Amino acid sequence: VSRLTLQQAVIASISEEMRRDHRVFHMGQSIGASFNGSMSSGKGLGEEFGSRRIIDTPMSELAMVGSAVGAAMTGTRPIVQIMFAEFLTLVMAPLACDGATIHYRSGNKASVPMVVRTLFGTGPHRGHPEDFHSWAASVPGIKVVVPSTPRDAKGLMTSAIRDDNPVLFMEHMGLYHAAREEVPDESFSIPLGKADVKRVGRDVTVVASGMMVPLAVKVADSLKRRSIEIEVLDLRSIVPLDKDAILQSVAKTGRLVVVSETWASSDSSAEVAAVVAENLCDTRPIPIARLGLTKVPRPFALTLERMVVPGEEKLTAAVLAVMNQSGRDPQFITANPVPSMLGKEI
Amino acid sequence: MPIEFKVIGMYSGVLGSTISLATGAALSSHILESNSVTVVSFGEGCSNLGAFHENINLAATLDLPIVYVCQNNQYAMSTRSTQSMRCASVADRALGYGIPGVQVDGNDVLAVHRAVQEAVKRAREGSGPTLIEALTYRVSGHMGSEHPVYQDSEERETWKQRDPLRLFEGHLESLGIMDAATASRLAVTIRTEVVEAMKVAQADPDPGIQELAECDIFALTQGEVVK
């Protein structure tokens, strides 16, 4: 094993797969040997694989994704880097209208094995934090992966590259060069569609992905001191969604908080809440809270950025709110109860 | 998986997507170092899309083996090409990408053939893409049934006289390869064949619910089992 950052783990997977399969290639803007990608997202790849397989493209996201779809249909396995998820808005036609539909519309005769990887999220980069993963997740035919740890990132990227479908792989900038984790040196894969319990707990299920996972873990650790046990479920992939894991956890805890780093309007967190409501609420009431980004365009000022993104305080409040709501554990009803957040956007 | 008949069709209603898909096919040839050349055809309306500019530029920078054939029929729905571009020919746009731009008479079958063959040869030699403009005219409405009130009827009639099939027949007759009788016999045979094929297709049952197959949205990756 090696102690790797998320960035190093992603690169480790890509290079292993490129060594293993000559059909895999990577294109993106400034990912080659002279610059190694934004935030080192292509580090070492250009040097090892050369400019035929690590392609520095013009600033043409539409053509990058559109041609990758065509390449994937014709015998290669492209990995495209869309530098920042903000630019996913430029590639929706080839990704959602073509890439997502070709296997189906060809009567299973063609397939589109490609990965679109992109940086996103609040973090040290101070720009381009937008997270449009829900746009892709809303279209049948695109898998969406959001890893939260280096080990997961490596195993999930390997699965994404080997998958015969378009996969959107979201790399969080706040996690990118942050916590290291022991990652196996040999190649391994983590199946897409398998959530991971990052903390076991009996009182509240917090469903999260990406940067919201370490946040949920932090809140879980701090509330444990107040005898509230949070189960943190890291989705790892938004599509396919691990409904079984969600239902299993919420059936146990009876309470759900879904936390997301993007606007809750039509965000994939709504899907999680709906799955629980449809499958569990007919037998007993289950308090559900959704926590997302304040509905304003992403602010640049640090003070404002901290206010709009879900943090420790807001998540703690949401957890306490669902605890209060259920009324089964009166000891958690505090002297100064937080305003009820149930059924409301926070 | 192989593409049937080596033909990539339209998979969405978004115009310009085929330019992207074709560029990708050429990219595959580049990566796999194969001998394949891709030819893609589209209208002059598409030459105003980002997909056209971005893909041709990308193909030019990588010297991809591809031929872009623009059929300029002078109308994008009701919009006349002179209203949608300032340059005289779509071929002029090639200058901006540093590749050859060739304008040919789109109603002259042999001229188009020659231009495409030359461009394919160039692509196969590793010299990169070519943009060909085949200048023609749309002699029907955009949707077939609508009457193109936005066209000058005299102009339309003039172009109808230049039907590429008629011109080519005349050419073959002048060379003594095919006489008028053979041409009309052939026309009847082909028409019958197409009408029969249409009948067969129309006699097929309408798709039932089993064709919806939500399970076919995703391709099964090697080793994956259906749930």
Side-chain angles (χ1 to χ4, degrees):
Chain A
V1 295
S2 304
R3 291 186 60 75
L4 303 182
T5 60
L6 195 146
Q7 174 266 339
Q8 291 167 331
V10 169
I11 294 292
S13 165
I14 294 175
S15 15
E16 280 168 15
E17 291 308 297
M18 288 191 65
R19 276 174 224 136
R20 196 180 75 91
D21 187 343
H22 73 285
R23 300 168 302 173
V24 179
F25 70 99
H26 191 7
M27 62 174 159
Q29 200 207 334
S30 299
I31 62 165
S34 63
F35 189 74
N36 281 309
S38 194
M39 294 185 78
S40 301
S41 54
K43 196 165 183 182
L45 295 174
E47 196 185 337
E48 177 173 356
F49 299 103
S51 59
R52 183 179 284 272
R53 292 178 74 196
I54 302 294
I55 302 172
D56 264 335
T57 65
M59 197 166 73
S60 304
E61 284 82 3
L62 176 67
M64 285 148 68
V65 172
S67 65
V69 172
M73 294 171 75
T74 51
T76 49
R77 305 181 74 87
I79 304 169
V80 185
Q81 189 197 45
I82 296 302
M83 198 179 286
F84 299 112
E86 194 173 4
F87 313 152
L88 286 175
T89 53
L90 299 168
V91 308
M92 277 301 154
L95 187 60
C97 300
D98 292 287
T101 66
I102 283 170
H103 176 257
Y104 185 89
R105 286 186 167 146
S106 69
N108 303 358
K109 288 203 164 60
S111 58
V112 183
M114 65 182 278
V115 177
V116 176
R117 59 185 291 237
T118 185
L119 294 162
F120 81 109
T122 314
H125 192 276
R126 303 299 340 284
H128 306 297
E130 281 80 0
D131 165 3
F132 287 108
H133 83 263
S134 292
W135 287 26
S138 70
V139 180
I142 307 167
K143 297 188 181 181
V144 179
V145 179
V146 191
S148 73
T149 77
R151 187 182 177 280
D152 285 357
K154 184 177 173 188
L156 292 166
M157 178 54 99
T158 300
S159 288
I161 297 171
R162 293 180 189 177
D163 201 284
D164 280 340
N165 299 283
V167 180
L168 176 61
F169 192 93
M170 310 281 297
E171 299 167 33
H172 199 291
M173 293 189 276
L175 303 170
Y176 217 45
H177 302 299
R180 288 173 184 270
E181 185 182 29
E182 289 198 341
V183 180
D185 292 323
E186 66 275 15
S187 174
F188 70 98
S189 64
I190 295 173
L192 308 184
K194 288 273 175 243
D196 187 42
V197 177
K198 290 285 196 278
R199 278 288 186 280
V200 179
R202 58 158 206 265
D203 297 318
V204 181
T205 301
V206 175
V207 174
S209 61
M211 186 66 146
M212 295 297 102
V213 174
L215 171 69
V217 166
K218 200 171 174 192
V219 169
D221 290 346
S222 108
L223 284 180
K224 194 153 193 173
R225 290 193 287 276
R226 294 166 66 177
S227 298
I228 298 174
E229 282 191 14
I230 294 178
E231 180 141 300
V232 178
L233 190 66
D234 179 358
L235 289 177
R236 301 202 287 199
S237 70
I238 309 298
V239 180
L241 185 65
D242 192 346
K243 293 181 183 176
D244 294 346
I246 296 167
L247 294 175
Q248 204 181 338
S249 176
V250 181
K252 178 178 73 175
T253 62
R255 302 177 188 88
L256 171 67
V257 175
V258 198
V259 57
S260 156
E261 201 187 311
T262 190
W263 306 292
S265 46
S266 304
D267 172 46
S268 61
S269 62
E271 187 67 17
V272 174
V275 163
V276 168
E278 281 175 346
N279 291 281
L280 295 177
C281 289
D282 54 343
T283 50
R284 57 171 165 159
I286 291 179
I288 299 174
R290 277 173 79 198
L291 189 55
L293 190 75
T294 308
K295 283 180 202 162
V296 292
R298 284 279 193 161
F300 183 75
L302 258 180
T303 48
L304 296 179
E305 185 175 81
R306 284 176 189 145
M307 281 180 227
V308 298
V309 178
E312 223 177 322
E313 204 175 319
K314 282 184 188 172
L315 183 55
T316 304
V319 169
L320 293 176
V322 294
M323 290 298 292
N324 287 341
Q325 168 79 9
S326 63
R328 290 190 312 191
D329 304 284
Q331 72 266 31
F332 298 128
I333 299 173
T334 57
N336 297 306
V338 290
S340 173
M341 291 163 173
L342 304 167
K344 284 192 222 162
E345 291 152 11
I346 299 167
Chain B
M1 257 185 253
I3 297 300
E4 272 191 307
F5 315 121
K6 292 196 173 183
V7 171
I8 298 177
M10 278 187 78
Y11 287 91
S12 74
V14 183
L15 284 179
S17 277
T18 49
I19 302 178
S20 293
L21 299 182
T23 305
L27 197 51
S28 274
S29 309
H30 173 77
I31 295 295
L32 301 173
E33 300 184 58
S34 82
N35 202 24
S36 302
V37 174
T38 305
V39 180
V40 58
S41 168
F42 49 89
E44 91 288 348
C46 281
S47 76
N48 296 314
L49 282 163
F52 170 92
H53 298 285
E54 290 194 11
N55 278 291
I56 297 186
N57 186 55
L58 176 67
T61 59
L62 295 172
D63 285 328
L64 296 185
I66 183 164
V67 183
Y68 295 98
V69 182
C70 176
Q71 298 183 53
N72 181 357
N73 69 10
Q74 307 187 43
Y75 286 91
M77 285 193 75
S78 69
T79 308
R80 176 101 180 179
S81 56
T82 48
Q83 289 177 305
S84 61
M85 47 187 253
R86 277 288 188 199
C87 46
S89 161
V90 174
D92 291 350
R93 295 186 159 174
L95 186 66
Y97 316 117
I99 62 167
V102 182
Q103 190 188 38
V104 290
D105 178 354
N107 286 16
D108 182 340
V109 173
L110 290 176
V112 174
H113 180 75
R114 269 194 303 272
V116 173
Q117 285 305 308
E118 202 170 309
V120 166
K121 183 166 172 278
R122 195 176 170 274
R124 196 160 271 142
E125 284 166 359
S127 305
T130 302
L131 174 61
I132 295 172
E133 181 198 64
L135 186 67
T136 182
Y137 193 85
R138 200 181 72 210
V139 293
S140 66
H142 169 72
M143 288 162 288
S145 58
E146 117 261 14
H147 184 66
V149 286
Y150 41 81
Q151 287 184 340
D152 180 283
S153 52
E154 213 170 292
E155 183 186 59
R156 189 167 61 243
E157 285 312 310
T158 313
W159 277 93
K160 274 185 172 172
Q161 300 311 308
R162 299 200 61 249
D163 183 314
L165 290 180
R166 298 270 170 272
L167 290 182
F168 192 51
E169 270 173 31
H171 180 68
L172 292 178
E173 280 170 31
S174 72
L175 292 177
I177 295 172
M178 185 171 75
D179 57 23
T182 315
S184 25
R185 240 193 349 265
L186 203 56
V188 172
T189 317
I190 292 167
R191 171 167 281 277
T192 314
E193 197 178 322
V194 172
V195 168
E196 284 307 313
M198 297 256 299
K199 275 188 198 155
V200 171
Q202 280 171 338
D204 273 354
D206 285 337
I209 194 154
Q210 72 279 4
E211 301 297 332
L212 274 179
E214 243 181 299
C215 59
D216 289 340
I217 287 293
F218 288 114
L220 288 180
T221 302
Q222 206 174 8
E224 203 176 341
V225 243
V226 198
K227 275 191 189 161

